[in-house]
Amino acid sequence: MRRSILALASAVAATMLAGCSQVASLTPVGESSITSVRSAANNVLVDQEVPILVAPDCTAVDSGFTCVGSTIDGAEILVTAAGTAPYDMTVSVGGSVIFEGNAQAVLDAAVLEGS
Amino acid sequence: MGRALSAPLRATDAPTTLLQTIKFSAQPVRGNYRTLLAGAGEEFIPRFDLLGRTADEARVRSRRSLYYFAHLSDIHVIDAQTPAVMDASQSIAPKLFADACRPQETLTVHVLASMVDAVTASQASPVTGAPLASAVSTGDSADNLSHLEARWYIDILDGGDVLANSGAAGVYEGVQAWPEATFAYHPEDPAGDVFGPLGYPTVPGMLTAAVSTPVQSQGLPVPWYAVYGNHDATFLGTFRPDPTLFAWAVGDRKAATAEGLVFNWLQGYASDLSAAQMAANAIRQQFGLLPGIRAVTPDPARRLLERTDFMQAHLDSPAVPGPVGHGWTQANIDTGQTWWSADLTPYLRVFGLDTCNMASGADGAVPEDQFTWLEAQLAQCETEGQLAMVCSHHNSLTLDNDAKPVWGGQRLVHAEEFVAMLMRYPVCIAWLNGHTHVNTIKAHPREGGAGGFWEITTASCVDFPQQQQLVDVVDNRDGTMSIFVIALDHAAPPTWAQGDLSQTGLASLSRELAANYQLSNPTLLAGSALDRNVELLMPAPFDLSAITDVAVEAEQMKARAQLVAHRGAA
């Protein structure tokens, strides 16, 4: 009985979602991969005291995400990141890599005691 | 009175994140569960994205505040006991329905009262000392289209006592007390639910304290404005409500499990139940024989909001702190128009939009009639030399909903076109919004040169970090202006003292529970350092000396008088 009702529940949920043109908008608010990458990249730049003129603006690409910004002295800020959690990413300034790691770890570290 | 008006406001008294932040303990205390504690403050970071160059340091000595206010959003006051909620959906798809049953959902009124305290304590700008003049809330003030939730949030912002209870007096009836609802956090004993192994605390008496002790609010000391969010307009912030849901809300059956939820749902939609079948179901329910459904005390006050009810609830509030209607007027009720404008000062106009989609979906869009109206209004501001700010619930990441009623509807404008329109009017300096619960500040630069506008998105009151914003719009008197944004924690202590079930204790506990609620990705919601305490520079859209010091001082005197009157009333 329990199994059949759960199956029914799943079927109703699936039908509900499949019949709705707004499936993407049903995802929990705040759950945004592009926001994770953008926020983590910003934290890396601030932590390493990069003089930011234009903060990186992120866009989705085939391989994940690319974010581009610039420093006060005109160097390019380039962030490339995977499209799936934990979002492995590389942050470069003026062609030099200043960070390699994952975005989720940066976000988690930023709220820890002593950070 | 005269002395009070002339006395300087003490900016340093404000307990903002400039002075202190809230951090996770370095190590979990049980399982994965961490407590919170005070950390160092965060200084302002200047952002030059729209200036295209660094700023003149002399601005620090010459600047003047034009307007200082609070930005609230995504308050999400929750009636956790209503039958018309799909908390049991979390057991079907925990990540998808993470917002359906948060561990802290009985404590939202306590958090809001604590946020009112924080705003009230911030009545002088930490930057310029200018007096707090107003607050604006950019939607999702209620959580689930509930009349009670709307009333509670309005009453807390206006000031007064709110008992965050529905149904039986002094008794919590809901999934957090029912052992079969293993998807929910059970503060009396979490050992049998999914939160127990994660180290969530045992908090005897929490639920009873939450629903039996009135929450006292001093009320905001300034006029406040509000706009619609999707949770104020649709069921679960997503679906257009139908008669079944309206009946659920005031009924006596609440789902405790996924089976019960589905059973309730299907029963509600079955229009051909015989009288015998209904009677049999009633008897089975009485004896606990319906799968996953519990009997609860019905409460007519739990009724769902109809389309204009939310606006009417704002009109049914006192003149102080005001304004009556909080942006909406009787004309909105009469016409059904859900958006508004207001002159905050003679030189600053604010526009409150309704970007909710009534067809379906949590995300939003700007209907064409509203879009056309706003563009005409901005053109008028341009002509009259008036600065403008736009307020909506949805932001540029989520203005993408194209759902239309099956019978058609007007064209829906999405983010790219909306941003391009705002860009055509340099007097539009900021777009304030929420929805994603993430502190996010984004520059929208104008093509081929400096200028554009700042999009300012605040975190929520319900999820970690439970932060809102203070905003000071500043004329640097050098052809540039700055918008200072300060992240504001609510006033409850960072660390919850074990066993503290006082009003502020429950607000502290709420923040701690939210911080550990991994389904909401709490560390993401805090945003980055560039999204919290920042100075957002931009070219002045016109010669701001046209706004005379006399005019500014007159407006600030009015604001001071409001604050003094509030202190006198308190």
Side-chain angles (χ1 to χ4, degrees):
Chain A
M1 178 68 174
R2 179 181 171 82
R3 184 173 297 173
S4 64
I5 289 178
L6 278 177
L8 177 61
S10 302
V12 169
T15 304
M16 194 170 76
L17 298 182
C20 176
S21 62
Q22 300 304 320
V23 172
S25 63
L26 287 174
T27 55
V29 289
E31 178 56 33
S32 169
S33 48
I34 197 168
T35 304
S36 295
V37 171
R38 174 191 172 279
S39 292
N42 283 345
N43 279 344
V44 167
L45 294 167
V46 171
D47 285 348
Q48 301 204 22
E49 299 181 349
V50 173
I52 303 166
L53 182 67
V54 177
D57 189 30
C58 299
T59 52
V61 296
D62 287 345
S63 57
F65 302 101
T66 297
C67 318
V68 179
S70 62
T71 67
I72 284 169
D73 52 8
E76 182 186 62
I77 298 169
L78 179 63
V79 182
T80 57
T84 54
Y87 314 109
D88 288 329
M89 70 175 191
T90 301
V91 181
S92 304
V93 176
S96 300
V97 174
I98 65 165
F99 176 85
E100 284 183 305
N102 78 67
Q104 189 62 53
V106 173
L107 296 175
D108 292 347
V111 299
L112 279 184
E113 176 183 8
S115 61
Chain B
M1 181 74 165
R3 182 176 296 174
L5 285 174
S6 60
L9 296 166
R10 289 176 296 166
T12 53
D13 287 350
T16 71
T17 53
L18 292 164
L19 299 180
Q20 171 187 286
T21 55
I22 296 174
K23 299 289 187 182
F24 289 57
S25 60
Q27 299 299 325
V29 290
R30 290 175 307 277
N32 298 325
Y33 193 88
R34 295 173 193 266
T35 52
L36 300 175
L37 63 165
E42 281 189 337
E43 295 180 350
F44 283 116
I45 298 176
R47 290 191 56 177
F48 307 114
D49 310 49
L50 297 185
L51 203 54
R53 59 174 173 80
T54 56
D56 185 347
E57 291 185 5
R59 73 189 186 285
V60 175
R61 292 185 296 278
S62 61
R63 65 193 175 198
R64 59 172 179 161
S65 174
L66 297 177
Y67 199 77
Y68 171 55
F69 66 103
H71 176 209
L72 316 176
S73 194
D74 295 85
I75 290 168
H76 284 275
V77 160
I78 297 174
D79 172 16
Q81 300 175 88
T82 177
V85 71
M86 296 177 69
D87 27 24
S89 62
Q90 210 169 64
S91 63
I92 301 172
K95 192 76 175 170
L96 183 62
F97 293 109
D99 302 339
C101 188
R102 299 173 172 93
Q104 69 275 18
E105 67 178 18
T106 56
L107 308 175
T108 53
V109 174
H110 305 74
V111 171
L112 182 58
S114 191
M115 187 57 77
V116 166
D117 289 345
V119 172
T120 302
S122 305
Q123 52 190 259
S125 164
V127 182
T128 61
L132 188 73
S134 71
V136 60
S137 174
T138 51
D140 278 7
S141 305
D143 184 66
N144 204 23
L145 201 62
S146 157
H147 175 270
L148 263 187
E149 292 168 351
R151 192 71 259 158
W152 291 347
Y153 120 80
I154 293 168
D155 289 349
I156 291 290
L157 293 191
D158 280 343
D161 292 356
V162 169
L163 182 59
N165 186 42
S166 65
V171 179
Y172 171 85
E173 296 177 326
V175 294
Q176 290 193 277
W178 297 337
E180 68 270 35
T182 55
F183 57 87
Y185 166 56
H186 295 68
E188 293 290 331
D189 180 9
D193 64 44
V194 297
F195 293 90
L198 300 175
Y200 269 65
T202 301
V203 190
M206 182 193 107
L207 296 173
T208 302
V211 302
S212 62
T213 308
V215 174
Q216 299 177 321
S217 170
Q218 61 179 312
L220 289 173
V222 290
W224 58 274
Y225 299 82
V227 304
Y228 268 98
N230 53 303
H231 284 260
D232 309 313
T234 55
F235 184 71
L236 274 183
T238 306
F239 305 108
R240 190 184 185 94
D242 66 8
T244 296
L245 297 174
F246 279 93
W248 270 16
V250 295
D252 62 355
R253 291 184 310 176
K254 183 172 170 67
T257 65
E259 294 98 314
L261 183 64
V262 174
F263 188 86
N264 244 355
W265 190 294
L266 296 179
Q267 287 279 78
Y269 282 97
S271 58
D272 59 350
L273 286 181
S274 67
Q277 182 67 55
M278 286 192 283
N281 283 345
I283 294 169
R284 290 167 67 201
Q285 179 190 320
Q286 188 66 32
F287 290 97
L289 299 176
L290 286 183
I293 294 177
R294 291 260 197 159
V296 295
T297 307
D299 189 342
R302 288 172 173 151
R303 67 186 184 276
L304 298 187
L305 295 161
E306 307 265 10
R307 187 57 170 152
T308 58
D309 287 354
F310 189 67
M311 296 190 291
Q312 184 63 54
H314 289 76
L315 284 159
D316 298 337
S317 68
V320 177
V324 171
H326 301 289
W328 292 292
T329 65
Q330 186 59 43
N332 292 101
I333 304 292
D334 296 342
T335 63
Q337 179 176 304
T338 51
W339 58 94
W340 50 262
S341 68
D343 285 331
L344 297 177
T345 72
Y347 45 85
L348 179 60
R349 181 171 293 182
V350 62
F351 299 98
L353 305 187
D354 174 9
T355 53
C356 303
N357 188 308
M358 294 303 293
S360 70
D363 285 354
V366 184
E368 187 163 36
D369 59 352
Q370 210 172 143
F371 180 83
T372 305
W373 168 83
L374 178 61
E375 178 154 27
Q377 292 279 313
L378 289 173
Q380 187 178 342
C381 289
E382 203 73 44
T383 303
E384 296 175 358
Q386 196 173 27
L387 298 170
M389 295 190 299
V390 175
C391 296
S392 69
H393 181 62
H394 296 92
N395 55 42
S396 63
L397 267 180
T398 56
L399 215 54
D400 58 359
N401 192 332
D402 204 27
K404 291 179 183 170
V406 289
W407 57 86
Q410 61 179 311
R411 190 173 74 88
L412 297 176
V413 175
H414 298 126
E416 187 176 355
E417 183 179 355
F418 185 67
V419 167
M421 186 273 281
L422 297 185
M423 204 83 80
R424 288 197 287 274
Y425 301 94
V427 290
C428 179
I429 55 174
W431 175 16
L432 301 159
N433 53 46
H435 188 54
T436 43
H437 297 201
V438 187
N439 282 320
T440 309
I441 296 179
K442 183 174 171 58
H444 290 282
R446 188 166 292 112
E447 285 287 329
F453 67 90
W454 289 99
E455 181 182 353
I456 301 168
T457 307
T458 184
S460 73
C461 276
V462 68
D463 290 317
F464 184 80
Q466 298 186 344
Q467 284 179 336
Q468 308 279 256
Q469 295 169 330
L470 303 168
V471 182
D472 195 354
V473 179
V474 168
D475 168 17
N476 292 322
R477 298 190 207 250
D478 63 356
T480 72
M481 58 187 304
S482 298
I483 302 174
F484 286 87
V485 180
I486 302 123
L488 183 68
D489 289 311
H490 63 75
T495 304
W496 177 61
Q498 184 78 30
D500 183 359
L501 300 181
S502 67
Q503 180 174 321
T504 53
L506 291 175
S508 284
L509 175 59
S510 172
R511 186 196 285 123
E512 183 181 291
L513 295 173
N516 284 279
Y517 189 48
Q518 292 303 319
L519 288 177
S520 72
N521 199 347
T523 59
L524 165 66
L525 302 182
S528 75
L530 296 185
D531 304 308
R532 291 188 294 262
N533 296 342
V534 286
E535 178 186 6
L536 309 173
L537 285 123
M538 62 197 304
F542 56 85
D543 181 359
L544 294 177
S545 66
I547 302 170
T548 66
D549 286 347
V550 171
V552 172
E553 286 163 12
E555 292 302 318
Q556 293 186 348
M557 194 59 77
K558 285 184 204 170
R560 281 172 188 267
Q562 291 173 167
L563 297 172
V564 169
H566 182 265
R567 280 201 292 271

